[in-house]
Amino acid sequence: MQRAAYLTARSVAPVRIGPAAADGCDDQAATLRRLFARRPARVLPLLVPEGGASSRAGWVAKLAQGFVGHGERTLVIDAARLHVAAALGLRARFDLAHVFAGECAPAAAVLDAGRGLTVLPAARALAEGRGVASLWTQIGRLNLSQVDLVLLVLPLNLAHEMPGDALVPVLPDAPELAGVVAGLRRALDTRDRRHGGSTAQHPSTGRFRLLFLGMAEPAATTLAQGLIRKLAMTQDSMVQSAGSARVARDLVQVVRAASGWTLATLPQRPQE
């Protein structure tokens, strides 16, 4: 795969992440129709433990391809050094931080992973910024008018900063489960402190959707319920099961479920 300035998705002309380009072939009415038809890009954060297994990067890549297959032009922003680009056979040279330092154009940092799918490394941008809010601002400055969904891969220790629902892919082994439980506990405690201990005061902050990789649905649900009890949460809590996913199949369950989750949106830059 080559690094490309353009994304090709659905039946539309090639599109670009970066400054908007004028299209002299379109009449004014067609341009207005396209502008009003666009929806803001939705964002689904994926929270991964530090030092996550390399197999998780492949799973994230397959999940992104699942969204593309469902008609969602998808951008994976890897801010957790999960190396999603490598899992897709791509070599990353630039990071989002290079873009906003003026060291490269947006198109040089964005990697073309095939029809409707692109990857943008952003671990350096996150490290040099001031948490998710700063990264969010940087992402919002990009032209994402031709992107439907952003999969934002973040370290689990930033769970408390999520503005909407977040997906937490979990490997079913004891050390990982213990780490996820501890991380979510800290995130929930931090949220409670920030909002006076009342979840009623922050209903829009979203939920953590636990997704147990390689497990059948009943077993995953049972394990999720056990974790929720361990977190001293109720069924109405901010920790819920997202079902299950086998790495090579059943991803359509997750893709369809996500359409009903509370996802944050990024404002679109006006066309120039």
Side-chain angles (χ1 to χ4, degrees), residues 56-102:
R56 202 189 322 264
W59 180 85
V60 171
K62 290 180 185 298
L63 178 65
Q65 291 168 336
F67 276 105
V68 171
H70 200 63
E72 302 274 7
R73 294 166 295 182
T74 303
L75 168 65
V76 180
I77 298 181
D78 185 0
R81 299 190 193 280
L82 197 61
H83 305 297
V84 178
L88 288 164
L90 305 172
R91 179 177 297 178
R93 180 181 177 187
F94 297 109
D95 184 279
L96 180 62
H98 293 102
V99 174
F100 290 108

Side-chain angles (χ1 to χ4, degrees), residues 103-149:
E103 298 172 13
C104 74
V110 175
L111 302 171
D112 185 353
R115 187 175 181 84
L117 177 59
T118 48
V119 181
L120 175 60
R124 179 180 164 186
L126 178 63
E128 293 180 357
R130 297 181 178 178
V132 175
S134 176
L135 180 65
W136 198 271
T137 299
Q138 288 185 325
I139 296 170
R141 289 165 58 193
L142 296 172
N143 176 14
L144 299 179
S145 61
Q146 301 291 342
V147 172
D148 300 311
L149 180 72

Side-chain angles (χ1 to χ4, degrees), residues 226-237:
L227 278 180
I228 291 169
R229 286 194 297 270
K230 195 167 184 177
L231 286 164
M233 294 284 105
T234 67
Q235 289 298 325
D236 297 328
S237 75

Side-chain angles (χ1 to χ4, degrees), residues 157-216:
N157 62 5
L158 297 178
H160 61 281
E161 298 188 38
M162 295 302 98
D165 282 8
L167 191 61
V168 187
V170 184
L171 298 174
D173 66 82
E176 167 128 337
L177 289 174
V180 167
V181 168
L184 294 181
R185 166 70 71 187
R186 288 191 294 269
L188 293 173
D189 288 346
T190 299
R191 282 183 175 182
D192 285 347
R193 288 196 302 271
R194 289 183 176 180
H195 297 275
S198 171
T199 56
Q201 295 180 18
H202 52 105
S204 63
T205 51
R207 290 174 166 80
F208 301 119
R209 307 281 183 170
L210 301 176
L211 183 68
F212 296 94
L213 305 183
M215 295 183 68

